[in-house]
Amino acid sequence: FTKTLDFAEVPRGQTQTRTFKLKNNSASSTINTIQVTAEDLYLNAGSWYTFGDNGVDYQATFVVGNLGPGATKLLYMKQILPDAETLSLQAGRVKVSHASLS
């Protein structure tokens, strides 16, 4: 990421959606089988996030597919803060992985 996606102080029981882009900066390689997930950095925040590419359907582990050289992909990230969540500073991060380059 070029900047932090800070959801700031969010009341419990709220849902927010943000967008971000994945970009393949390579001039010659395709990134194959890209997956996006969230993980906890502090407490339970990683479980609050789901991802999708159409703004309607979301999954905890979203399979992006392949990105060719210079290609970008717009993704949606939904944060759902549970009603019973602990009041505390919490942090999660988006994790992007891939199977191979070709």
Side-chain angles (χ1 to χ4, degrees):
F1 287 101
T2 57
K3 66 178 184 176
T4 302
L5 294 174
D6 187 356
F7 284 88
E9 295 179 17
V10 180
R12 291 182 288 181
Q14 298 296 306
T15 299
Q16 298 184 64
T17 304
R18 300 265 178 102
T19 60
F20 64 98
K21 286 185 181 180
L22 291 181
K23 182 176 181 180
N24 180 352
N25 286 324
S26 174
S28 59
S29 296
T30 296
I31 304 172
N32 301 306
T33 318
I34 301 167
Q35 291 188 358
V36 179
T37 59
E39 65 182 7
D40 299 329
L41 286 179
Y42 186 69
L43 295 178
N44 304 317
S47 65
W48 302 345
Y49 299 98
T50 55
F51 306 92
D53 64 357
N54 61 10
V56 177
D57 302 310
Y58 291 90
Q59 301 168 355
T61 299
F62 182 73
V63 178
V64 176
N66 302 338
L67 272 183
T72 61
K73 178 77 172 178
L74 179 69
L75 296 178
Y76 293 81
M77 176 173 58
K78 182 183 279 190
Q79 178 198 54
I80 301 173
L81 193 61
D83 288 332
E85 190 56 67
T86 303
L87 289 176
S88 179
L89 179 63
Q90 299 200 34
R93 70 175 166 192
V94 175
K95 183 177 177 182
V96 180
S97 61
H98 67 281
S100 64
L101 298 172
S102 58

